[in-house]
Amino acid sequence: MIYPKIPLAQTVIQLYKKKGVKHIVISPGSRNAPLTIGFSNDNYFKCYSVVDERCAAFFALGIAQQLQEPTAVVCTSGSALLNYYPAVAEAFYSDIPLIVLSADRPKHLIGVGDGQTINQKNVFETHILYSANLKLDLKEENTNDVVEELPIFKNLEDKVETLLGLKKTIQEYNEEEIGKAINMTLLKKGPVHINAPFEEPLYDMVDELSVSPKSTTPENEPLQVDDAVLTACIKDWNAVSKKMVVVGVNYPNQIEQRWLDMLATDNSVIVFTETTSNIYHNDFFPSIDKLIAPLDDEGFNMLQPDILLTFGGLIVSKKIKAFLRKYKPQHHWHVDLKKANDTFFSLSNFIETTPNHFFSKFLPETKPVKSNYRLYWDGIKASRLIKHDNYLNNIEFCDLKAFDVILDSIPNNTILQLGNSSTVRYAQLFDLNKTLQVFCNRGTSGIDGCTSTAIGCAVANNKQTTLITGDLSFLYDSNALWNNYIPDNFRIIVINNQGGGIFRILPGHKNTENFDTYFETNHQLTAEHLCNMYGLKYESASDDMALKMMLKSFYSEDNQPKLLEVFTPKDLNDEILLEYFKYID
């Protein structure tokens, strides 16, 4: 087998292999050549070449999102590393195990005007679980530099022993730091950064390894809930008649069904789920905004819970945030193994464990409380659904109508990736197919990287993946299509309303030159030429009938990925949506 000659590169590659880090996304460069040589010449690793570092990082994020195991991105030195930052932040807030591996210049070449050089040490300081800043291998030709920094020795033997000790210490230090970083992302599920300095020559190769690094095993702490906390929670829960459970971003099949069934049997409990919750039950309340948007003060007071229990990641619905921040619960408990956001400004208890473990200790000790809390809101939910259907049957073609048709068309047991901004918010208004697995980059809620993430997801999963995204999100991340790994069964649906349609929904002055240019960013671009350049089959629709016709064959097997661009009237979309919330009251 071919290996890089540099011992540090050998160390990194061997420890990745021992830790089971298999998927490596590499962006071309020179300083990272030792790493590229090592990874690409070892059949254990599945390597991908993605030129644009921002796209590469989100591509890796999509793989890690699906596999729920560490995925690595590898880049050269300089600004290449900074292009990883959006995906690093998303991984940090979404708890996705991403390993950033950057090559760097030797320390003596930093800050002296050498090309393609920046301060890479701790560059992701506030958005990273761990930063491992590795040390340069000591070589015979640079030991003189090291000796100059050492104290005066009595004899040559002292110098030799010290240098030998330094060589051993540096190797041990690097092994320890790499191990710490990988163990951290394995245990805590988030991004880590390993920065590795390499001295030229960079392309030398050998047939045998010169180092044999040791690997440490991460130690999981046992799951537990403090007995006093558990007892107090059970007592409070059994004493009140209005309990609300709100579930944020959640991986599919993560929560045991028996606990969901137990929550559904209690009429004093309402469970709100979101599109990204991946939790379904006939007695739960999806489409939060559809239920609460038309409420007045009297309705909000009736809905206000005594206890709020939350689990999962970030919440999409701005309306549920506004409601619970004003109509605060007496108690807010959040259950998570890692962190608790005080989203509603009323957090009283962070229960540091997994939801499954908490429910296993908690729910068997609770008892159904006599209450009409859920039954009353069941009636409201049924009424909203009837009005929802009536409204959609009588409106012109628009964003809302397009989402109704598209979401109903997605094949069973497939993956749905959603773009941010208006896309995920429109999806929130519909009761989705229960067989779908839904994902969205809600850690930072940015439009950057949605397409790249979806492609990484499609690469890591045998199921068909459909991305629904807005025109600005798609154009912003168009370099996502610049790779050779897009599966033939990958599908993209672009809702093109000629700009940032979300800004027309928000308060502000519309239809002015300033608004069109700087907020909505009005444009006349389409995806057609991008599809021709990157080898995607392009289709389009601009009305209800054409859309339904195109969707009949859109998901069928083909020898290339497909993109369907749906054109909607930008001047009507906001009016129809705002009128929708009035109508369903």
Side-chain angles (χ1 to χ4, degrees):
M1 188 180 291
I2 297 175
Y3 305 101
K5 183 178 180 181
I6 297 175
L8 177 55
Q10 293 181 15
T11 301
V12 170
I13 290 154
Q14 288 183 79
L15 286 178
Y16 271 45
K17 196 170 183 178
K18 290 181 179 181
K19 294 287 188 181
V21 182
K22 187 178 183 68
H23 294 268
I24 314 293
V25 182
I26 302 171
S27 292
S30 180
R31 190 61 52 170
N32 59 333
L35 299 168
T36 302
I37 290 167
F39 286 126
S40 62
N41 283 288
D42 190 326
N43 291 332
Y44 172 81
F45 298 104
K46 175 62 176 174
C47 294
Y48 310 86
S49 177
V50 180
V51 176
D52 186 315
E53 283 88 5
R54 188 180 71 186
C55 294
F58 278 108
F59 178 90
L61 186 91
I63 295 174
Q65 174 201 81
Q66 290 301 301
L67 301 180
Q68 297 185 53
E69 61 186 43
T71 301
V73 283
V74 182
C75 71
T76 190
S77 63
S79 62
L81 177 60
L82 300 182
N83 285 299
Y84 285 161
Y85 215 136
V88 169
E90 178 63 35
F92 182 75
Y93 289 108
S94 289
D95 302 326
I96 295 176
L98 182 70
I99 303 177
V100 171
L101 175 56
S102 57
D104 200 0
R105 291 289 200 275
K107 188 175 181 180
H108 67 274
L109 292 179
I110 297 174
V112 298
D114 212 37
Q116 210 167 336
T117 304
I118 63 171
N119 294 318
Q120 295 182 197
K121 183 178 179 180
N122 301 328
V123 72
F124 305 119
E125 186 173 8
T126 59
H127 294 94
I128 206 82
L129 296 182
Y130 192 79
S131 294
N133 298 289
L134 307 184
K135 296 182 178 180
L136 189 70
D137 290 312
L138 283 180
K139 300 185 296 185
E140 295 301 324
E141 54 264 40
N142 64 17
T143 52
N144 289 333
D145 295 332
V146 177
V147 171
E148 290 177 4
E149 298 178 4
L150 296 174
I152 298 175
F153 297 99
K154 294 180 180 179
N155 53 52
L156 180 61
E157 185 177 357
D158 285 346
K159 288 185 180 182
V160 172
E161 288 180 357
T162 303
L163 286 172
L164 289 174
L166 271 175
K167 284 188 176 183
K168 179 181 178 182
T169 300
I170 286 177
Q171 178 63 25
E172 288 180 346
Y173 171 84
N174 286 339
E175 289 179 18
E176 183 178 330
E177 285 297 290
I178 297 167
K180 282 181 180 178
I182 300 176
N183 286 345
M184 182 67 74
T185 194
L186 284 167
L187 290 173
K188 297 294 186 180
K189 301 297 181 185
V192 295
H193 177 205
I194 299 173
N195 192 53
F198 295 119
E199 181 71 276
E200 296 182 13
L202 302 168
Y203 293 88
D204 287 356
M205 293 175 277
V206 293
D207 296 327
E208 294 183 359
L209 294 166
S210 60
V211 292
S212 181
K214 298 177 182 178
S215 176
T216 57
T217 303
E219 297 182 5
N220 282 299
E221 296 181 3
L223 297 175
Q224 56 186 4
V225 182
D226 183 87
D227 287 341
V229 171
L230 184 63
T231 300
C233 286
I234 294 168
K235 180 181 178 182
D236 290 339
W237 185 271
N238 289 336
V240 299
S241 60
K242 294 167 65 178
K243 282 100 71 171
M244 181 181 291
V245 179
V246 178
V247 188
V249 174
N250 193 70
Y251 274 97
N253 305 312
Q254 193 169 41
I255 308 300
E256 293 181 32
Q257 189 61 41
R258 56 177 170 159
W259 308 131
L260 302 178
D261 292 341
M262 287 188 71
L263 287 170
T265 61
D266 192 338
N267 286 331
S268 67
V269 178
I270 285 179
V271 179
F272 278 129
T273 63
E274 296 204 294
T275 301
T276 53
S277 297
N278 287 294
I279 285 177
Y280 303 98
H281 196 288
N282 290 336
D283 294 321
F284 290 173
F285 290 73
S287 308
I288 299 173
D289 289 359
K290 186 164 61 181
L291 183 78
I292 70 173
L295 294 180
D296 55 16
D297 284 342
E298 181 181 357
F300 284 132
N301 279 312
M302 293 179 66
L303 185 61
Q304 182 179 16
D306 300 312
I307 294 176
L308 172 66
L309 170 62
T310 58
F311 63 91
L314 300 180
I315 303 295
V316 175
S317 172
K318 295 177 72 173
K319 290 180 171 58
I320 193 73
K321 293 176 190 174
F323 159 58
L324 289 171
R325 286 170 181 174
K326 182 176 180 181
Y327 298 87
K328 297 180 185 297
Q330 297 173 24
H331 307 279
H332 172 201
W333 312 333
H334 185 75
V335 182
D336 190 85
L337 195 58
K338 185 177 177 182
K339 60 189 174 185
N341 294 311
D342 192 7
T343 303
F344 309 109
F345 310 146
S346 58
L347 185 68
S348 54
N349 208 339
F350 172 27
I351 303 169
E352 199 169 352
T353 188
T354 65
N356 279 325
H357 183 71
F358 173 71
F359 288 143
S360 71
K361 302 294 183 182
F362 174 73
L363 286 178
E365 302 302 321
T366 63
K367 58 185 179 182
V369 175
K370 187 176 181 180
S371 172
N372 65 353
Y373 187 47
R374 196 190 76 205
L375 296 177
Y376 175 81
W377 291 105
D378 276 341
I380 301 297
K381 180 175 73 170
S383 173
R384 296 273 196 271
L385 183 58
I386 292 171
K387 291 184 177 181
H388 169 92
D389 292 339
N390 288 339
Y391 187 79
L392 285 164
N393 288 333
N394 293 283
I395 58 174
E396 299 177 59
F397 189 70
C398 60
D399 282 353
L400 186 63
K401 185 71 172 179
F403 273 92
D404 181 41
V405 175
I406 292 166
L407 292 173
D408 190 51
S409 74
I410 299 174
N412 290 342
N413 301 305
T414 60
I415 295 174
L416 174 60
Q417 288 271 352
L418 295 170
N420 268 309
S421 200
S422 60
T423 299
V424 68
R425 298 189 187 282
Y426 271 112
Q428 291 272 99
L429 300 176
F430 297 87
D431 296 351
L432 294 190
N433 181 336
K434 296 179 181 180
T435 71
L436 299 180
Q437 296 182 355
V438 185
F439 298 90
C440 180
N441 287 349
R442 290 305 298 176
T444 61
S445 307
I447 66 168
D448 48 345
C450 294
T451 307
S452 296
T453 301
I455 293 173
C457 160
V459 166
N461 201 309
N462 292 326
K463 292 184 176 182
Q464 185 176 73
T465 299
T466 301
L467 167 67
I468 305 176
T469 185
D471 50 342
L472 292 190
S473 296
F474 174 75
L475 293 169
Y476 196 91
D477 194 29
S478 59
N479 268 1
L481 306 179
W482 185 13
N483 69 71
N484 299 318
Y485 310 106
I486 305 176
D488 290 341
N489 67 349
F490 182 62
R491 301 290 180 264
I492 303 175
I493 300 176
V494 178
I495 308 296
N496 190 337
N497 48 29
Q498 299 86 55
I502 187 69
F503 291 101
R504 287 190 164 269
I505 300 168
L506 300 174
H509 295 289
K510 317 289 195 303
N511 301 317
T512 65
E513 183 178 348
N514 180 279
F515 177 85
D516 291 347
T517 302
Y518 296 107
F519 291 91
E520 190 180 27
T521 55
N522 195 9
H523 69 86
Q524 299 300 319
L525 302 174
T526 77
E528 184 173 6
H529 293 297
L530 285 170
C531 289
N532 292 335
M533 181 166 66
Y534 290 120
L536 277 71
K537 185 175 181 179
Y538 176 82
E539 298 172 345
S540 66
S542 55
D543 59 55
D544 189 8
M545 186 177 297
L547 178 57
K548 290 178 179 178
M549 184 177 67
M550 289 296 178
L551 288 170
K552 286 181 180 179
S553 59
F554 182 67
Y555 305 101
S556 60
E557 290 187 16
D558 208 320
N559 59 0
Q560 62 185 141
K562 298 180 186 178
L563 183 147
L564 173 59
E565 189 163 22
V566 183
F567 296 95
T568 63
K570 71 181 183 69
D571 294 330
L572 289 178
N573 287 322
D574 60 321
E575 295 177 13
I576 292 173
L577 181 62
L578 294 173
E579 189 62 33
Y580 165 82
F581 289 116
K582 297 177 183 177
Y583 180 86
I584 62 174
D585 187 2

